[in-house]
Amino acid sequence: MRTLWLQTGFELKLIAKLRWTLLLPPAAGLWMLFQCADIGLPASMDVNLYAADAHSTLMTFLTALPMFLGVLLIRRDALNPSYEWSLTLPVTNRVMIAAKWIAGMLYSSAFTACILAVYAGVAVHHKLSWRSILSEIAHYAPLYETSFAAGVAVGIVIGALFPMRFALPVAFCGWIFGSIFVPVYLIEVFDWHILRLFSLNHLIGDLGAGASEAWAYRLSGVEYPLTYAFAGTVTVLVLAAACALLARTRPVVRPLAPIALMVAALIAACAVYTPYAELWQQRYAQWQQLMPSVPEAELTRPHAPYAFKVASMDVRLDRADDDTFAARAEIVLPTQDGRLLPAHEGQDAVTDRIEGRVVFLLYPKLRVTGLTVDGAQVPWMQEQDRISFDRAALAPSADAHKIVWNYAAVSPLNEWAHDGSGQYHLLFSQGESSFLPAYLGWYPIPGGDSLMYHVGKQIVPRADVASGLHTDFRLRLTGFAGRIVATLPAAEDDRPGSRSFAGQNAALPTVVGGSFTAVKMADEPALMLTTPGNVEESRIFLENLGERRAFYERWTGARLDRIRQIVYFPFFGTFDRSYGLTSVFPIGDTLFIGELRHSNLDTYRMEQTINFLLFGDTVYTSDWVNNWDDQDPDRLNNYSIVQEIRRMIALYIPMKEGVIAQEDVHMLSPIGEKMKQMVDTAYEQGKADVAKRVLMRFWNDGLTIEDQTSAGTASSVASNAASPYDYPFITWEQWLQAWYEEKGR
């Protein structure tokens, strides 16, 4: 052992004498500093989001250095004719190889230490909790170290196999293969995820939600532990090969010893790779089993004709320690003369999805185990994402029926999917991480066409399946650990370990659980639930929201409590296939906001939040819901000024009142500019109350705009709607009439 440490010290001194090598680890830390230090509004303030991008870039390039260093360490002396005298040293081949690898690893670990030390310093500066900081360090440090360990070993064996003039180009090719070709080309392009263990860069093509601190690596299960174990066995295998190659120059007493170690390491690597391959085979099999249940986009139809009304729904999910669960859904189904009642306005009757049967939608992996209708056992049929029973089971004499579905997830619900752009999750419930969106049928959804559709390899959940469906909903969850966020308010019997939520005439609920942090301000009723890296930005947003809300409540005299909570985090690999990466969408009284580095809690998100509070939608006031046509001779009667009025309420009046900073507010039409002049004149004459009363008249009548192509209604069907917006029609004449009436008061 003493010889090993002396030889390692000697190798480290030789590395230090290169001089330039000492500058590289601090330079890597400096790169992390440049990426994470100068952040703030209007860009995202989430240090962990910036750090994730910096780590991905650093790992791509830094894996080259250990490989080149390994070549240099072995070619410089052990296999250099000028160092022939070293053959007489009392140092065995295995000690020499081990010392070179340890020295290379110690030097490479300096990169890890510098990078993570700078990250920790910046994170502390930005007021992140130590729990979040240590969690990020615990995730990235092993990834760096395993990549460096394998890289140094591969460099040593390349140096032992080729002369220097060939070894360096081969090492370069090895770096390109392991750090770029495998993760970018073989994995992302060909979807050969089973080869991920052979990648030196595990931050490219990472499992979905990898950049989101809410879930990150927690969804990977045993994937990362197997990665570390495989890297260790392969490192031993490669170093044993280097010993065998070195024995050609420095003969040993037992030449078969390194070969025996190679065989043992190879067996160990295969033993580790087997469960890893099985893990990916299970994911592929789950995805392939799901595909036949998902229709092509062109075959989808609108949900509304098939959707029917339910009076109440009581859902209970009991999750076991192995992440399986049993569920029970009690549904009160109203009927009229034995006929189902349509759930959507404008529908005269419910169209049968399957002739003569009552059809609910349920995620295909969930298996029904029993059904009762009004207390009697009834046969059911489960096919793809549809569960149904004969409509004759509904007695025509009753106006309401109690339907009880019993179903279960007999294997862990971690629904992985992939396409040409990477991996993502449809839904999951694993450990403290949960993602159960309203639209994917983890409880029976009444009627509808299909839960998903596919475009090529991509499976897209249909967010519109739950749109417009409201009922008295009660949800009980047992066995769900960690912080659970539901779009229903907590019920009276809610308690840790046995969560309970309930809402009257509520939208179908979404449940998420993970590493979320609650941010609450004293004067703002809305709660912000976000990842630890977003706490400071969320606090600033809530302060500004509180000021805006207070102004509008004084003006309108109404309590603007439409938002109970705001959930803000990156949507990578979860909501993004249905809603997009940066969407803002409400589910019940919960507002979800997607995050990117340059799409965050900025003025645009504040406007959408205020619009939802005031108008009940998240349509920008600058969006053209109908176009002004200068060529139309009757344009004053054919053009709705709804957006001009909304823009006045949401932006222009707060600017006139000094609530938000002054800026030039561009109106969408010449009429809008005339309206702005009228408001300016009223303020100059001390009659601001006239303008505000006029605006309130229209506000009280309703200014909600429904976006037919928005996240809440988007599907391959809805996107083809003839008119993308449904809006109140308000003419210029109506504005003038209201103005002169209020002015004459």
Side-chain angles (χ1 to χ4, degrees):
M1 184 61 69
R2 181 173 179 274
T3 303
L4 176 62
W5 289 120
L6 288 174
Q7 184 66 23
T8 301
F10 174 70
E11 299 290 347
L12 288 172
K13 289 179 182 179
L14 293 177
I15 292 175
K17 284 185 178 181
L18 294 175
R19 301 286 191 269
W20 59 269
T21 56
L22 302 179
L23 300 176
L24 295 179
L30 194 61
W31 172 264
M32 175 64 73
L33 181 64
F34 286 155
Q35 294 295 303
C36 299
D38 188 21
I39 62 175
L41 298 175
S44 172
M45 298 176 67
D46 186 356
V47 175
N48 290 337
L49 198 60
Y50 289 82
D53 286 347
H55 284 307
S56 181
T57 301
L58 285 167
M59 184 168 285
T60 299
F61 293 100
L62 289 183
T63 47
L65 295 174
M67 199 172 294
F68 290 139
L69 184 62
V71 172
L72 183 63
L73 287 172
I74 192 68
R75 296 303 313 182
R76 182 185 52 192
D77 51 18
L79 295 174
N80 190 332
S82 300
Y83 283 76
E84 192 174 13
W85 55 268
S86 65
L87 296 175
T88 62
L89 290 176
V91 179
T92 63
N93 285 0
R94 61 178 179 273
V95 168
M96 181 171 289
I97 294 295
K100 292 181 182 299
W101 180 82
I102 292 172
M105 269 303 297
L106 289 175
Y107 170 73
S108 300
S109 296
F111 286 96
T112 307
C114 289
I115 292 168
L116 295 180
V118 169
Y119 159 75
V122 173
V124 170
H125 175 72
H126 286 280
K127 303 178 182 179
L128 261 71
S129 68
W130 275 106
R131 180 180 179 182
S132 174
I133 295 172
L134 294 176
S135 175
E136 293 293 294
I137 290 175
H139 174 51
Y140 286 106
L143 290 177
Y144 278 111
E145 293 300 287
T146 52
S147 293
F148 292 159
V152 174
V154 170
I156 290 174
V157 79
I158 290 174
L161 191 59
F162 299 101
M164 180 68 85
R165 62 184 179 275
F166 295 129
L168 291 179
V170 171
F172 176 80
C173 293
W175 165 63
I176 292 293
F177 180 82
S179 296
I180 299 176
F181 184 81
V182 171
V184 174
Y185 194 70
L186 296 184
I187 294 176
E188 289 198 347
V189 175
F190 284 98
D191 292 323
W192 293 351
H193 298 274
I194 203 167
L195 298 180
R196 185 177 298 278
L197 282 184
F198 298 97
S199 172
L200 292 176
N201 186 355
H202 296 284
L203 297 182
I204 295 180
D206 198 9
L207 197 61
S212 172
E213 195 181 353
W215 300 301
Y217 56 90
R218 298 172 185 86
L219 298 177
S220 62
V222 297
E223 182 177 347
Y224 282 115
L226 290 174
T227 299
Y228 305 146
F230 185 79
T233 57
V234 168
T235 298
V236 173
L237 171 64
V238 173
L239 292 177
C243 285
L245 292 171
L246 185 59
R248 297 180 304 179
T249 303
R250 303 182 85 232
V252 294
V253 176
R254 301 181 181 86
L256 295 179
I259 297 176
L261 182 58
M262 286 175 58
V263 173
L266 180 61
I267 294 173
C270 293
V272 173
Y273 191 76
T274 299
Y276 187 84
E278 290 177 353
L279 172 68
W280 280 104
Q281 289 293 348
Q282 292 171 5
R283 289 174 178 170
Y284 282 125
Q286 172 261 312
W287 182 76
Q288 290 167 355
Q289 291 170 4
L290 182 62
M291 282 297 287
S293 303
V294 181
E296 295 180 5
E298 295 77 10
L299 300 179
T300 57
R301 291 167 287 186
H303 291 293
Y306 308 112
F308 50 87
K309 186 180 298 184
V310 295
S312 66
M313 187 177 293
D314 189 329
V315 176
R316 181 184 182 95
L317 268 62
D318 298 311
R319 193 170 76 174
D321 293 338
D322 61 356
D323 292 325
T324 61
F325 66 79
R328 177 184 175 90
E330 297 183 6
I331 299 169
V332 175
L333 181 65
T335 57
Q336 185 175 13
D337 300 327
R339 293 181 289 106
L340 301 174
L341 304 179
H344 296 279
E345 295 182 3
Q347 298 293 323
D348 297 328
V350 177
T351 302
D352 285 348
R353 184 66 177 82
I354 302 176
E355 185 67 30
R357 300 187 70 83
V358 179
V359 180
F360 291 80
L361 297 178
L362 189 71
Y363 189 75
K365 186 173 181 176
L366 304 178
R367 309 310 301 175
V368 175
T369 58
L371 168 67
T372 62
V373 177
D374 295 329
Q377 294 284 343
V378 172
W380 74 88
M381 180 175 68
Q382 183 167 12
E383 181 183 9
Q384 298 177 338
D385 58 0
R386 298 183 294 274
I387 54 175
S388 64
F389 60 89
D390 197 321
R391 193 167 52 194
L394 303 177
S397 58
D399 293 334
H401 307 270
K402 184 177 180 180
I403 316 297
V404 179
W405 292 101
N406 290 291
Y407 58 100
V410 295
S411 61
L413 200 65
N414 189 348
E415 299 306 281
W416 173 88
H418 70 109
D419 57 25
S421 60
Q423 307 175 70
Y424 56 103
H425 289 87
L426 297 170
L427 71 164
F428 53 81
S429 181
Q430 180 172 312
E432 295 187 0
S433 300
S434 297
F435 174 63
L436 302 173
Y439 49 76
L440 258 182
W442 49 278
Y443 47 79
I445 295 178
D449 177 52
S450 65
L451 292 174
M452 298 164 280
Y453 63 87
H454 74 85
V455 180
K457 290 184 177 181
Q458 181 180 0
I459 296 176
V460 182
R462 294 184 62 177
D464 58 330
V465 69
S467 179
L469 298 181
H470 292 79
T471 186
D472 295 343
F473 207 108
R474 182 176 181 84
L475 174 64
R476 286 172 287 184
L477 306 172
T478 59
F480 286 76
R483 180 181 289 276
I484 296 294
V485 180
T487 57
L488 292 171
E492 293 182 356
D493 58 345
D494 180 48
R495 63 182 186 275
S498 181
R499 305 303 310 274
S500 182
F501 307 92
Q504 300 294 316
N505 193 31
L508 300 185
T510 287
V511 172
V512 295
S515 181
F516 291 101
T517 298
V519 181
K520 187 76 174 68
M521 304 303 295
D523 297 329
E524 170 53 43
L527 176 73
M528 181 78 82
L529 290 156
T530 188
T531 49
N534 284 313
V535 169
E536 185 64 15
E537 185 178 355
S538 298
R539 183 189 62 78
I540 296 172
F541 185 82
L542 285 180
E543 287 180 351
N544 295 333
L545 178 62
E547 294 175 2
R548 297 282 295 275
R549 185 199 295 265
F551 166 74
Y552 285 115
E553 288 184 345
R554 290 193 302 269
W555 177 8
T556 63
R559 181 67 173 166
L560 301 177
D561 55 359
R562 200 189 303 267
I563 299 176
R564 176 175 57 90
Q565 60 187 2
I566 301 172
V567 183
Y568 172 60
F569 66 100
F571 289 167
F572 296 108
T574 51
F575 280 120
D576 53 316
R577 288 310 190 280
S578 299
Y579 290 98
L581 280 170
T582 61
S583 287
V584 176
F585 59 92
I587 299 178
D589 58 6
T590 301
L591 192 67
F592 288 87
I593 302 178
E595 178 194 5
L596 290 176
R597 285 173 56 175
H598 298 288
S599 182
N600 56 305
L601 297 178
D602 52 18
T603 55
Y604 297 101
R605 297 295 174 257
M606 176 61 74
E607 180 187 345
Q608 289 181 288
T609 304
I610 291 297
N611 285 355
F612 183 66
L613 278 177
L614 290 171
F615 312 125
D617 62 70
T618 59
V619 177
Y620 287 112
T621 58
S622 58
D623 288 348
W624 289 90
V625 301
N626 61 156
N627 290 323
W628 173 265
D629 185 1
D630 285 322
Q631 307 302 316
D632 184 0
D634 197 24
R635 52 187 175 274
L636 294 182
N637 293 321
N638 292 336
Y639 178 79
S640 176
I641 60 173
V642 60
Q643 280 289 61
E644 281 79 1
I645 294 174
R646 285 161 53 105
R647 199 158 175 77
M648 283 283 182
I649 295 173
L651 289 178
Y652 199 58
I653 296 300
M655 288 181 186
K656 301 292 288 186
E657 298 282 334
V659 177
I660 57 179
Q662 289 280 349
E663 63 179 68
D664 184 22
V665 177
H666 172 71
M667 303 303 274
L668 299 180
S669 66
I671 292 180
E673 295 298 330
K674 178 61 176 177
M675 293 167 61
K676 188 164 67 170
Q677 293 174 10
M678 295 171 70
V679 171
D680 289 341
T681 301
Y683 269 85
E684 291 170 1
Q685 296 176 352
K687 298 180 180 179
D689 59 319
V690 172
K692 295 168 74 173
R693 288 201 306 271
V694 171
L695 292 170
M696 280 302 97
R697 284 178 60 165
F698 293 104
W699 181 77
N700 288 324
D701 290 339
L703 295 170
T704 302
I705 296 175
E706 183 179 351
D707 184 357
Q708 303 290 344
T709 61
S710 68
T713 58
S715 75
S716 60
V717 175
S719 60
N720 294 323
S723 176
Y725 295 100
D726 184 11
Y727 52 88
F729 196 84
I730 305 171
T731 65
W732 173 243
E733 183 178 348
Q734 289 174 292
W735 167 267
L736 291 178
Q737 180 180 353
W739 183 272
Y740 290 119
E741 286 180 359
E742 292 299 329
K743 191 175 182 180
R745 287 178 57 183

